[in-house]
C-alpha cells in the first residue's frame, strides 16, 4: 500500500508552483537540490537569497524517521513537548538492537526477549502519538524507507546519520539528532545552515566488477571525511541514468562519511521503475507530472561551474573497484593497488570474515551480484576461504531472495544469513573469537570502519568495498589477491544482474506498521535500567564559565563512537543516567595516549572521564573538553551530546566539528567553540583551569578563553562559534526543548 497518500497528493499538487516561486525569488536557474530545499523553506524568498555555508534558513520537512536506538531518547524528549500526535508523518524502525550471533531465527528470538521492554515502550509510544511502527525483523530503517516512504522531491529528517540513503529516490533526506526530530514532530520549523552545493558530474557506464559503491568510495578519497561538511552532494550528468535506484541510494548513504548534509539524485526512469516495483504507481504518476522540476534546470547542467560551489567529474567507464580502509572510510584504494599498500603498511593479509549487508548494501541487486560471484567461483572449482555473514536489508528483500534461490546459493557457499538488521555494521556482532585483541582483517560492505566499531577489537582491520568485490576477497581469502586483477582468478567475474527481480518482489510477511490508536501513556517499567523519564536540563545563569577543569584533551579522531560507544552500551540508549557512564570511554588522552582514562583533579586518581565529570558535578563544578578536527564525526547519536550535558560539561572546544554533532551540542545546551588558531590546541595543559568568557556571546562575536596554568602563568586564546540568536536562546534556556517548553512553542 501507499502510506500517507493524502500528504503525497497535496505535496505534488503544490510542488510545481513552489519551485516556480523559488526560481522567481532566486532570479536564476536552480539546481535540483535548490528546488527541493526552497520548496520546503518556511520563508523561500529569504532562503533564496541566503549565503551558502553561512546563513541559516527554516524548513518544513514532510516526515521524520527514527531507528530504535535513537528513537528512545527522541520519544522521551517528545513526551515533554505536550503534544498528542506528531505534526508530520513519522515512523520507528526496530533494526539496531538485534545482535548478530548464530543466525536470523535465533538472533531475532533473543532480541525480542532481551529488548522486550524497549520494544514495548516504542510500540506504546507509537500508538500514543500516531507513529508508524516497524517491529524487529521488518528490516533496516533506510531500506524500509526506500521501499515504502521515500518519494522524489520530498524532505525527510531522520535520527540516523545515514538517512540520506533516500536521496537515491531524489529525496532531500537529512540525518539529525533526536532533538531536531522532536522539533518537527512538535510542529516547529526546522533550522539548518544553508548548505554549500557540490555537483558531481557522472559520465560513462559501469562495467565488470565496478559498482555504484565504487563511485562513492572513490569520491570519499577525493573529498575526505570532512570535505563535504555543510554541503549537499548533487549528482547529474549522462552517467546517472545507467545507475539503478538502489545503487544511487548506496551512493547517497555513504555521503554521510564525507560530512555531507545530504546527497541527491534527479528523478528518472530508474526511479520510476523502482516506485512501480514497490507498489507505488500513483506516486510515480504524480512525479511524472512534475518531472521537469525533479532535476536541475538545463542551464545548470550546461554550465555547472556557475551554479555549484564545486564541480567534480567522475567517468564511470574508467572507474575500477575500490576498497577503503582501514580505520577510516576515506582511505580510498583501488583494489588493484591494495597489495602494495598492504605490504607498505603491514596489514594482516588473511581475510577472516566477509560481511555483506548494512543499510548501504543490502538490496536485491546487492545479494544477486554477490551470488553471481559465488556461482562463477563454483563453476571454476573454488569456494570461499573466509567466513561469510549476510544481513538482508528488509523482509521484502529476504523473502524475494529466498523465492529466487539466492539464500540457497549463499547457504551452499557456507554463508550464515543473519536477521534483517544492522548487526555488525553498528557493533551488534557477537563475534566468536579466542582473542578479542588479535590483529586480523575483515572485509565489509558497510559505510564505517572505525577502530572497534564492528567487533570491539581495536586491532580488527576493517575494509569497505562492494558486495561483489567483498565476495571476491572471500574466495581468495587474502587482502593481496583479488579476482578483479589477478590472472589466475580471471574465470571468476560477476555477471550483469537486473536491479529488480524479474518476477517482481515476493509477498513479505510483515506486521502492519499502522497501530490502533491509544490514549495511554508510553510504557516505562518501574525501576527499569534501560528506560528513564527525562528531567529537563536547568537553564544557564548567563554568567561566564570560570575555573573549568579540563576533563580531557582528546588526540586524533574522536567520533561519536569514541564519545558514546555502541555495542553493549546500546541497551542503555533510553536511560540517560546509565548510558552516561560510557562518556568518552574511547577518546584518546593527548597527554598519556590512553583511551578512556584521565586524572581526577580532586583526588589525583586515574579514572574514566565519566567518573571524573560526575565527581566534579557532585562538587558543583563544571568542566571542558578540548579536541582536534572533525570532533563528533560519524553517527548522529545525540547521546554524545546529552551525556556531556548531563555530566555538567559546559564547553567543547575543538579545532572543528562534524555538522550533526555541533548541531546536537547546540540543541542540548553545551557551548560548542572552535579555536580561532588551531595551533592554540597545543597550549592547553593537562592541569589547566580554564575561563570561558561566554556571558556576552552574540552572533559573529569571538569568545575569549583564558588558560590558567598550574605554574601561575596564564594565556589568552580566541575561540569562535556559529551560534545565531535562536541558538543562543537555546543555550540560555538550558536546551532547545527547554526553550520550547518555556515559550509554549509548538
Amino acid at each position: 500500500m501507499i502510506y500517507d497518500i493524502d500528504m503525497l497528493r497535496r505535496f505534488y499538487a503544490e510542488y510545481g508552483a513552489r519551485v516556480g516561486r523559488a526560481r522567481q525569488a532566486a532570479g536564476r536557474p536552480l539546481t535540483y537540490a535548490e528546488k527541493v530545499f526552497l520548496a520546503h523553506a518556511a520563508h523561500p524568498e529569504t532562503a533564496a537569497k541566503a549565503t551558502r555555508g553561512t546563513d541559516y534558513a527554516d524548513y518544513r520537512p514532510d516526515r521524520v524517521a527514527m531507528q530504535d536506538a535513537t528513537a528512545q531518547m527522541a520519544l522521551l524528549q517528545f513526551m515533554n513537548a505536550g503534544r498528542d500526535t506528531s505534526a508530520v508523518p513519522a515512523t520507528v524502525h526496530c533494526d539496531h538492537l538485534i545482535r548478530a550471533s548464530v543466525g536470523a531465527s535465533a538472533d531475532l528470538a533473543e532480541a525480542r526477549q532481551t529488548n522486550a521492554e524497549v520494544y514495548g515502550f516504542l510500540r506504546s509510544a507509537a500508538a500514543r502519538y500516531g507513529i508508524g511502527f516497524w517491529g524487529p525483523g521488518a528490516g533496516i530503517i533506510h531500506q524500509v524507507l526506500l521501499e515504502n516512504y521515500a518519494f522524489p522531491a520530498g524532505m525527510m529528517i531522520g535520527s540516523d546519520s545515514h538517512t540520506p540513503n533516500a536521496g537515491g529516490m531524489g529525496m532531500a533526506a537529512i540525518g539529525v539528532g533526536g532533538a531536531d526530530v522532536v522539533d518537527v514532530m512538535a510542529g516547529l520549523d526546522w533550522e539548518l545552515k544553508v548548505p554549500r552545493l557540490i555537483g558531481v558530474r557522472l559520465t560513462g557506464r559501469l562495467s565488470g566488477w565496478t559498482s555504484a559503491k565504487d563511485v562513492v568510495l572513490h569520491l570519499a578519497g577525493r573529498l575526505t571525511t570532512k570535505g563535504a561538511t555543510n554541503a549537499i552532494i548533487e549528482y547529474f550528468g549522462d552517467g546517472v541514468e545507467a545507475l539503478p535506484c538502489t545503487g544511487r541510494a548506496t551512493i547517497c548513504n555513504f555521503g554521510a562519511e564525507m560530512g555531507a548534509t545530504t546527497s541527491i539524485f534527479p528523478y528518472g526512469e530508474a526511479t520510476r521503475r523502482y516506485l512501480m516495483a514497490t507498489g507505488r504507481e500513483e506516486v510515480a504518476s504524480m512525479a511524472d507530472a512534475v518531472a521537469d522540476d525533479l532535476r536541475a534546470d538545463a542551464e545548470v547542467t550546461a554550465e555547472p561551474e556557475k551554479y555549484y560551489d564545486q564541480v567534480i567529474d567522475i567517468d564511470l567507464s574508467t572507474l575500477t573497484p575500490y576498497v577503503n580502509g582501514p580505520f577510516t572510510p576515506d582511505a580510498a584504494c583501488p583494489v588493484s593497488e591494495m597489495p602494495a599498500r598492504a605490504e607498505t603498511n603491514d596489514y594482516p593479509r588473511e581475510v577472516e570474515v566477509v560481511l555483506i549487508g548494512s543499510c548501504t548494501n543490502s538490496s536485491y541487486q546487492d545479494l544477486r551480484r554477490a551470488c553471481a560471484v559465488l556461482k562463477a567461483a563454483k563453476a571454476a572449482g573454488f569456494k570461499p576461504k573466509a567466513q561469510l555473514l549476510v544481513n538482508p536489508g528488509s523482509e521484502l528483500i529476504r523473502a524475494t531472495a529466498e523465492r529466487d534461490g539466492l539464500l540457497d546459493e549463499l547457504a551452499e557457499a557456507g554463508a550464515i544469513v543473519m536477521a534483517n538488521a544492522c548487526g555488525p555494521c553498528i557493533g551488534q556482532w557477537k563475534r566468536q573469537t579466542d582473542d578479542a585483541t588479535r590483529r586480523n582483517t575483515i572485509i565489509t560492505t558497510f559505510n564505517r570502519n572505525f577502530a572497534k566499531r564492528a567487533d570491539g577489537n581495536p586491532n580488527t582491520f576493517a575494509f569497505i568495498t562492494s558486495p561483489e568485490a567483498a565476495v571476491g576477497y572471500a574466495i581468495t581469502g587474502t587482502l593481496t589477491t583479488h579476482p578483479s586483477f589477478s590472472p589466475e582468478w580471471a574465470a571468476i567475474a560477476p555477471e550483469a544482474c537486473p536491479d529488480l527481480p524479474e518476477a517482481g518482489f515476493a509477498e513479505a510477511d510483515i506486521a502492519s506498521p499502522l497501530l490502533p490508536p491509544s490514549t495511554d501513556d508510553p510504557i516505562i517499567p518501574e525501576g527499569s535500567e534501560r528506560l528513564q523519564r527525562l528531567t529537563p536540563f536547568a537553564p544557564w545563569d548567563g554568567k561566564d564559565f570560570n575555573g573549568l577543569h579540563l576533563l580531557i584533551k582528546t588526540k586524533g579522531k574522536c567520533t561519536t563512537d569514541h564519545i558514546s560507544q555502541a555495542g553493549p552500551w546500546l541497551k542503555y540508549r533510553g536511560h540517560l543516567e546509565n548510558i552516561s557512564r560510557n562518556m568518552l570511554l574511547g577518546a584518546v588522552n593527548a597527554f598519556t595516549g590512553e583511551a578512556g582514562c584521565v586524572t581526577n583533579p580532586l583526588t589525583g586518581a586515574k579514572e574514566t572521564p565519566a567518573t571524573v565529570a560526575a565527581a566534579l558535578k557532585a562538587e558543583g563544578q563544571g568542566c571542558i573538553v578540548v579536541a582536534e578536527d572533525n570532533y563528533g564525526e560519524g553517527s548522529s547519536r545525540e547521546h554524545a551530546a546529552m551525556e556531556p550535558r548531563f555530566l555538567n560539561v559546559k564547553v567543547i572546544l575543538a579545532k572543528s566539528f562534524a555538522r550533526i554533532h555541533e548541531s546536537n551540542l547546540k540543541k542540548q545546551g553545551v557551548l560548542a567553540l572552535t579555536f580561532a588558531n588551531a595551533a592554540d590546541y597545543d597550549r592547553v595543559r593537562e592541569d589547566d583551569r580554564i575561563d570561558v568568557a561566554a556571558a556576552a556571546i552574540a552572533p559573529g562575536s569571538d569568545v575569549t578563553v583564558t588558560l590558567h596554568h598550574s605554574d601561575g602563568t596564564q594565556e589568552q586564546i580566541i575561540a569562535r562559534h556559529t551560534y545565531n540568536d535562536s541558538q543562543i536562546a537555546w543555550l540560555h534556556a538550558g536546551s532547545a526543548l527547554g526553550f520550547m517548553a518555556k515559550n509554549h512553542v509548538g
Side-chain angles (χ1 to χ4, degrees):
M1 66 175 292
I2 301 177
Y3 298 103
D4 309 310
I5 187 61
D6 291 338
M7 179 270 286
L8 292 169
R9 289 169 179 160
R10 289 194 301 271
F11 173 81
Y12 283 113
E14 300 169 358
Y15 177 68
R18 291 184 190 177
V19 173
R21 290 192 294 270
R23 189 184 289 108
Q24 183 177 14
R28 58 172 174 77
L30 300 175
T31 75
Y32 178 41
E34 287 180 303
K35 292 180 182 182
V36 178
F37 272 76
L38 290 175
H40 289 85
H43 309 287
E45 296 80 7
T46 302
K49 303 296 184 182
T51 301
R52 297 174 193 159
T54 301
D55 294 340
Y56 285 82
D58 291 334
Y59 299 94
R60 293 171 179 167
D62 301 300
R63 65 176 314 110
V64 302
M66 298 164 277
Q67 38 92 338
D68 50 356
T70 52
Q72 297 171 63
M73 197 58 70
L75 291 173
L76 286 165
Q77 292 177 85
F78 186 69
M79 288 166 62
N80 290 335
R83 286 190 63 101
D84 287 326
T85 59
S86 172
V88 301
T91 52
V92 169
H93 304 259
C94 299
D95 63 352
H96 272 54
L97 300 180
I98 303 168
R99 201 165 189 190
S101 179
V102 297
S105 296
D107 293 348
L108 191 55
E110 181 181 352
R112 286 178 172 141
Q113 179 179 357
T114 303
N115 305 310
E117 63 181 299
V118 173
Y119 293 150
F121 165 71
L122 294 176
R123 184 181 180 86
S124 63
R128 173 67 178 82
Y129 299 117
I131 297 168
F133 179 77
W134 292 78
I140 301 173
I141 176 173
H142 307 304
Q143 183 64 34
V144 173
L145 290 170
L146 195 70
E147 293 168 358
N148 296 278
Y149 297 106
F151 61 97
M155 177 177 279
M156 172 173 63
I157 64 170
S159 61
D160 187 279
S161 54
H162 294 103
T163 302
N165 189 83
M169 179 65 76
M171 192 175 201
I174 304 102
V176 299
D180 284 335
V181 166
V182 172
D183 284 354
V184 174
M185 290 174 64
L188 302 181
D189 293 341
W190 173 59
E191 184 185 65
L192 178 73
K193 182 180 288 187
V194 178
R196 297 178 298 113
L197 295 175
I198 298 175
V200 177
R201 178 165 44 201
L202 302 179
T203 56
R205 296 179 69 90
L206 299 170
S207 62
W209 283 91
T210 313
S211 74
K213 184 68 165 286
D214 298 304
V215 176
V216 74
L217 292 176
H218 166 79
L219 184 61
R222 293 172 68 170
L223 285 175
T224 76
T225 56
K226 59 180 181 178
T229 300
N230 292 320
I232 300 168
I233 303 176
E234 180 177 335
Y235 294 86
F236 68 98
D238 297 339
V240 165
E241 194 51 46
L243 296 174
C245 184
T246 52
R248 299 178 191 189
T250 291
I251 292 171
C252 292
N253 181 298
F254 206 90
E257 310 322 314
M258 296 169 270
T261 300
T262 194
S263 301
I264 195 166
F265 274 86
Y267 179 74
E269 181 58 27
T271 323
R272 186 178 191 279
R273 287 191 299 106
Y274 189 81
L275 283 168
M276 300 286 284
T278 51
R280 291 174 284 172
E281 294 85 354
E282 184 177 350
V283 179
S285 178
M286 290 187 289
D288 287 342
V290 293
D292 286 346
D293 282 326
L294 298 179
R295 61 179 68 94
D297 287 335
E299 297 91 335
V300 173
T301 54
E303 297 182 279
E305 289 79 9
K306 291 177 60 176
Y307 300 96
Y308 296 101
D309 298 293
Q310 181 181 359
V311 177
I312 297 172
D313 283 287
I314 299 177
D315 182 354
L316 304 181
S317 301
T318 61
L319 197 65
T320 63
Y322 269 72
V323 55
N324 288 23
F327 304 129
T328 183
D330 61 343
C333 180
V335 168
S336 59
E337 297 178 14
M338 181 51 72
R341 185 174 291 193
E343 179 70 27
T344 299
N345 295 286
D346 190 29
Y347 298 152
R349 306 294 195 277
E350 180 186 357
V351 174
E352 297 190 9
V353 188
V354 168
L355 302 111
I356 295 171
S358 84
C359 61
T360 319
N361 279 112
S362 56
S363 70
Y364 177 83
Q365 188 180 42
D366 289 328
L367 297 187
R368 185 81 174 261
R369 288 269 283 183
C371 286
V373 177
L374 290 172
K375 182 178 179 180
K378 179 182 177 182
F382 300 105
K383 60 182 180 180
K385 295 181 179 179
Q387 182 184 21
L388 269 172
L389 301 180
V390 181
N391 285 83
S394 68
E395 180 57 19
L396 183 70
I397 299 301
R398 191 212 62 78
T400 306
E402 181 179 45
R403 182 202 64 192
D404 293 351
L406 302 185
L407 298 190
D408 289 339
E409 293 178 29
L410 290 167
E412 186 179 350
I416 300 175
V417 177
M418 299 295 185
N420 313 319
C422 302
C425 185
I426 47 92
Q428 287 286 65
W429 182 18
K430 189 177 181 180
R431 187 175 182 182
Q432 306 301 319
T433 178
D434 56 358
D435 185 349
T437 61
R438 178 176 51 80
R439 279 167 49 92
N440 74 103
T441 284
I442 64 173
I443 301 291
T444 82
T445 66
F446 303 165
N447 39 44
R448 294 194 175 131
N449 56 349
F450 305 142
K452 301 196 288 186
R453 183 173 175 92
D455 61 359
N457 182 354
N459 295 312
T460 290
F461 289 61
F463 296 86
I464 305 169
T465 191
S466 66
E468 51 268 58
V471 174
Y473 278 117
I475 299 299
T476 67
T478 175
L479 193 60
T480 55
T481 307
H482 194 273
S484 64
F485 68 83
S486 301
E488 66 269 31
W489 301 87
I492 302 175
E495 63 183 12
C497 296
D499 58 322
L500 297 169
E502 295 96 324
F505 285 107
E507 290 292 328
D509 184 16
I510 305 172
S512 172
L514 305 177
L515 302 177
S518 171
T519 57
D520 295 336
D521 288 340
I523 300 170
I524 300 178
E526 186 72 27
S528 172
E529 292 188 352
R530 299 191 62 176
L531 296 163
Q532 179 187 51
R533 289 186 180 273
L534 286 178
T535 300
F537 294 129
W540 175 36
D541 62 10
K543 298 179 181 178
D544 291 337
F545 299 119
N546 291 326
L548 298 178
H549 289 280
L550 176 66
L551 180 63
I552 187 172
K553 177 178 173 180
T554 71
K555 178 182 179 181
K557 188 183 286 285
C558 194
T559 71
T560 49
D561 278 3
H562 295 89
I563 304 166
S564 177
Q565 295 179 355
W569 290 94
L570 276 173
K571 64 184 178 182
Y572 297 124
R573 286 287 181 87
H575 198 296
L576 182 56
E577 184 176 359
N578 283 346
I579 198 171
S580 292
R581 301 198 311 267
N582 80 358
M583 186 184 73
L584 292 161
L585 269 182
V588 176
N589 188 329
F591 301 107
T592 65
E594 293 181 88
C597 184
V598 297
T599 301
N600 187 329
L602 301 177
T603 65
K606 299 293 185 182
E607 298 174 322
T608 68
T611 302
V612 174
L616 291 170
K617 178 182 178 181
E619 295 295 322
Q621 301 185 46
C623 54
I624 181 173
V625 172
V626 172
E628 295 202 76
D629 275 312
N630 212 26
Y631 182 79
E633 172 192 344
S635 300
S636 64
R637 67 189 64 148
E638 66 187 318
H639 299 78
M642 294 186 78
E643 291 173 32
R645 182 71 174 87
F646 178 75
L647 291 173
N648 214 28
V649 176
K650 301 295 188 183
V651 181
I652 309 289
L653 174 60
K655 292 182 180 179
S656 64
F657 289 97
R659 175 191 64 84
I660 298 177
H661 189 63
E662 182 180 23
S663 176
N664 285 347
L665 290 170
K666 291 178 177 180
K667 288 277 185 177
Q668 300 303 337
V670 180
L671 181 59
L673 302 176
T674 56
F675 290 100
N677 178 4
D680 287 342
Y681 165 90
D682 297 322
R683 299 165 68 178
V684 179
R685 302 179 189 175
E686 186 174 18
D687 52 1
D688 281 350
R689 297 293 293 271
I690 301 173
D691 297 340
V692 179
I697 189 171
S701 66
D702 290 337
V703 174
T704 300
V705 176
T706 305
L707 308 176
H708 297 277
H709 303 313
S710 59
D711 61 6
T713 63
Q714 65 180 45
E715 299 180 76
Q716 282 193 341
I717 61 176
I718 299 300
R720 293 184 174 142
H721 68 87
T722 60
Y723 286 78
N724 58 28
D725 285 327
S726 62
Q727 293 166 348
I728 292 172
W730 302 342
L731 195 65
H732 281 279
S735 68
L737 192 60
F739 176 82
M740 183 196 311
K742 178 182 177 182
N743 294 277
H744 306 289
V745 180

